[in-house]
Amino acid sequence: MTKSQPVFPEGRHALYDTHKYSAALRSGDLLFVSGQVGSRADGTPEPNYEDQVRLAFENLQAVLKAAGCGLDDIIDVTTFHTDPENQFESLMKLKDEVFEEAPYPNWTAVGVNWLAGFDFEIKVIARIPGDA
């Protein structure tokens, strides 16, 4: 059995070292990406909700890129929201900016009451291109 391989984007290593987790794990041709938030370089949350979501997607794309993947390789998405009812309209607009055309990934949205100071978190599973 093949051991999972950790994947890290450029920068942000202190965040992963401090909290003792990997940005993503490669297992065979699948990439399991840890929840990404809209954290600025210093680790603090971007205060504006829409900017925070955009930054979370940028951070996600950096992890995907480190594994040789892109947004089109995502097959499953789980997002976490601190105020889903009031955030839904903004999120759908931003989601449409990122995933512009079909086929769209599976998507599960979960309402939560705490995300360590953040209002949005996204985790994904992607297929690594070129692997069978």
Side-chain angles (χ1 to χ4, degrees):
M1 180 169 205
T2 305
K3 187 173 179 176
S4 296
Q5 301 169 318
V7 174
F8 294 95
E10 290 186 30
R12 296 172 47 104
H13 291 283
L15 174 71
Y16 303 117
D17 290 341
T18 299
H19 299 287
K20 298 181 180 164
Y21 71 100
S22 297
L25 286 175
R26 178 186 177 139
S27 181
D29 68 341
L30 294 177
L31 184 70
F32 298 85
V33 180
S34 293
Q36 298 297 305
V37 293
S39 59
R40 298 181 286 195
D42 65 0
T44 61
E46 174 59 47
N48 176 276
Y49 176 75
E50 289 190 8
D51 291 341
Q52 189 180 124
V53 172
R54 283 187 184 97
L55 189 51
F57 276 109
E58 288 175 21
N59 293 336
L60 171 63
Q61 289 178 58
V63 175
L64 293 169
K65 181 180 177 184
C69 297
L71 293 170
D72 290 342
D73 299 306
I74 295 173
I75 54 178
D76 188 68
V77 175
T78 304
T79 53
F80 303 91
H81 311 268
T82 57
D83 188 1
E85 186 174 357
N86 290 313
Q87 297 164 341
F88 185 78
E89 187 176 328
S90 291
L91 176 65
M92 293 308 290
K93 178 183 79 168
L94 297 167
K95 177 181 179 265
D96 289 346
E97 291 174 9
V98 175
F99 298 102
E100 297 178 306
E101 58 187 46
Y104 304 108
N106 294 340
W107 197 297
T108 302
V110 180
V112 298
N113 62 12
W114 187 77
L115 288 173
F118 295 90
D119 293 308
F120 175 82
E121 182 172 333
I122 181 169
K123 64 177 284 172
V124 305
I125 300 170
R127 186 166 309 282
I128 300 170
D131 289 347

